[in-house]
């Protein structure tokens, strides 16, 4: 199942356009809202990322300047939908010998009248830049689920269940820009990933072409194959526009090719300072 996420930063529309100067960045904030498909209530989300190494945004592709400059960072995000709350912490560390380590922790709670569930996720990725343009690696995640069921007649009967699973993934990323380029030329940023979880295999391709340092157009394709529930395929087209080094808006819409219906929707705003 594909979860629709969206965010909109109001400050993105209020900042004047300046492209020539080099701007130091250490903070990144996103806030937003959306009407989530297959849900009765709205999605509300917010995230904050801190760059421990100052990102100097100049003539590079704005959106991925932190990645091109190998800036260590940590991100905290939260979203809520109906009775579900999700909290995530992720960290990214680049070593001087081209090794990359990413760690993550997530906690999702579903609090209902007759049912409670808490799922925790612990994960780590290890990768390496095999060249200035290519990063390749693998990761593992551990999921721990606790569930509580209560009787519907108001009785005191309570049942508790627990389960845990591992998932494994391999991934690669190609950028035509190389490491910390001093000037901009149009080019690609392409991410490939395969994940195996229990009886499900997911394949993802996310490709963005940067026409300008502040503007890109991309396509995302996701294939999920579950041994019990069959397959699902979504293709999304989107664009990302930076008004300046401080603010941007990203929009995308995808189609579930199996059902012929809306499969994903993205409306993302970012503010950096």
């Amino acid at each position: 199942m594909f979860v629709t996420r969206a965010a909109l930063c109001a400050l993105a529309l209020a900042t004047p356009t300046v492209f020539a100067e080099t701007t130091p960045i250490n903070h990144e904030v996103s806030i937003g809202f959306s009407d989530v498909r297959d849900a009765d209530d709205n999605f509300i989300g917010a995230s904050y990322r801190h760059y421990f190494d100052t990102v100097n945004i100049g003539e590079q592709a704005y959106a991925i300047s932190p990645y091109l400059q190998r800036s260590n960072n940590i991100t905290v995000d939260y979203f809520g939908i109906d009775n579900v709350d999700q909290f995530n912490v992720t960290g990214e560390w680049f070593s001087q010998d081209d090794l990359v380590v990413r760690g993550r922790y997530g906690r999702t709670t579903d609090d209902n009248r007759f049912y409670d569930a808490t799922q925790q996720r612990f994960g780590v990725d290890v990768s390496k830049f095999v060249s200035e343009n290519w990063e390749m690696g693998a990761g593992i995640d551990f999921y721990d689920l606790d569930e509580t069921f209560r009787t519907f007649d108001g009785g005191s009967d309570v049942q508790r269940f627990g389960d845990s699973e591992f998932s494994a993934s391999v991934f690669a990323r190609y950028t035509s820009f190389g490491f910390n380029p001093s000037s901009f030329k149009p080019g690609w940023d392409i991410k490939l990933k395969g994940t195996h979880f229990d009886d499900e295999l997911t394949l993802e391709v996310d490709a963005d072409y940067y026409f300008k340092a502040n503007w890109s157009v991309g396509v995302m394709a996701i294939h999920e194959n579950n041994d019990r529930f069959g397959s699902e395929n979504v293709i999304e087209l989107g664009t990302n526009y930076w008004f300046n080094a401080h603010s941007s808006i990203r929009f995308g819409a995808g189609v579930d090719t199996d059902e012929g219906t809306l499969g994903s929707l993205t409306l993302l705003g970012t503010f950096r300072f």
Side-chain angles (χ1 to χ4, degrees):
M1 173 175 146
F2 297 94
V3 180
T4 303
R5 295 196 176 189
L8 179 62
C9 180
L11 293 173
L13 300 175
T15 312
T17 303
V18 179
F19 295 109
E21 64 182 16
T22 298
T23 306
I25 296 296
N26 284 98
H27 311 277
E28 183 174 301
V29 176
S30 296
I31 56 175
F33 59 91
S34 172
D35 182 19
V36 182
R37 287 176 55 79
D38 302 323
D40 294 329
D41 291 342
N42 287 334
F43 165 94
I44 300 175
S47 69
Y48 168 75
R49 176 173 295 175
H50 176 73
Y51 296 104
F52 296 100
D53 307 307
T54 299
V55 181
N56 294 303
I57 299 178
E59 298 301 320
Q60 299 176 344
Y62 285 19
I64 59 174
S65 284
Y67 177 76
L68 298 178
Q69 296 180 32
R70 316 292 197 251
S71 179
N72 301 326
N73 62 84
I74 186 170
T75 302
V76 178
D77 67 72
Y78 166 83
F79 77 82
I81 173 175
D82 200 3
N83 298 313
V84 178
D85 293 287
Q86 180 169 300
F87 171 78
N88 295 288
V89 180
T90 60
E92 189 175 38
W93 177 76
F94 298 88
S95 74
Q96 294 184 349
D97 57 355
D98 293 330
L99 186 69
V100 188
V101 178
R102 297 179 177 92
R104 53 192 166 271
Y105 168 76
R107 181 183 178 90
T108 303
T109 58
D110 186 354
D111 185 7
N112 290 279
R113 183 179 179 185
F114 301 108
Y115 169 77
D116 294 332
T118 299
Q119 178 176 273
Q120 297 187 86
R121 176 188 183 186
F122 304 85
V124 63
D125 294 338
V126 178
S127 61
K128 185 177 179 61
F129 287 97
V130 296
S131 71
E132 287 195 356
N133 304 96
W134 279 99
E135 177 195 357
M136 297 183 178
I140 189 169
D141 287 90
F142 173 74
Y143 297 85
D144 180 68
L145 175 64
D146 290 316
E147 298 176 291
T148 301
F149 295 87
R150 291 179 288 274
T151 58
F152 288 85
D153 58 3
S156 59
D157 185 29
V158 176
Q159 294 181 322
R160 291 183 172 87
F161 299 92
D163 193 16
S164 59
E165 296 285 350
F166 284 92
S167 72
S169 61
V170 293
F171 59 89
R173 183 171 183 173
Y174 170 79
T175 58
S176 60
F177 307 106
F179 171 67
N180 203 10
S182 58
S183 61
F184 175 81
K185 294 181 180 179
W188 287 96
D189 178 34
I190 303 173
K191 289 170 281 189
L192 311 168
K193 186 175 183 180
T195 304
H196 184 268
F197 176 75
D198 196 12
D199 54 1
E200 182 175 285
L201 176 66
T202 302
L203 302 175
E204 304 175 49
V205 179
D206 190 354
D208 294 299
Y209 186 78
Y210 287 80
F211 294 93
K212 298 181 179 180
N214 67 315
W215 179 50
S216 64
V217 174
V219 58
M220 178 190 69
I222 301 178
H223 168 75
E224 287 185 357
N225 184 62
N226 189 290
D227 293 341
R228 291 178 294 175
F229 303 109
S231 64
E232 186 174 8
N233 299 277
V234 168
I235 298 178
E236 178 180 294
L237 299 177
T239 184
N240 191 3
Y241 182 81
W242 285 81
F243 299 93
N244 52 41
H246 296 287
S247 52
S248 75
I249 189 167
R250 179 173 183 173
F251 174 78
V255 176
D256 185 327
T257 59
D258 299 307
E259 302 292 337
T261 58
L262 182 68
S264 66
L265 184 65
T266 302
L267 183 59
L268 176 66
T270 302
F271 179 71
R272 289 172 172 171
F273 56 97

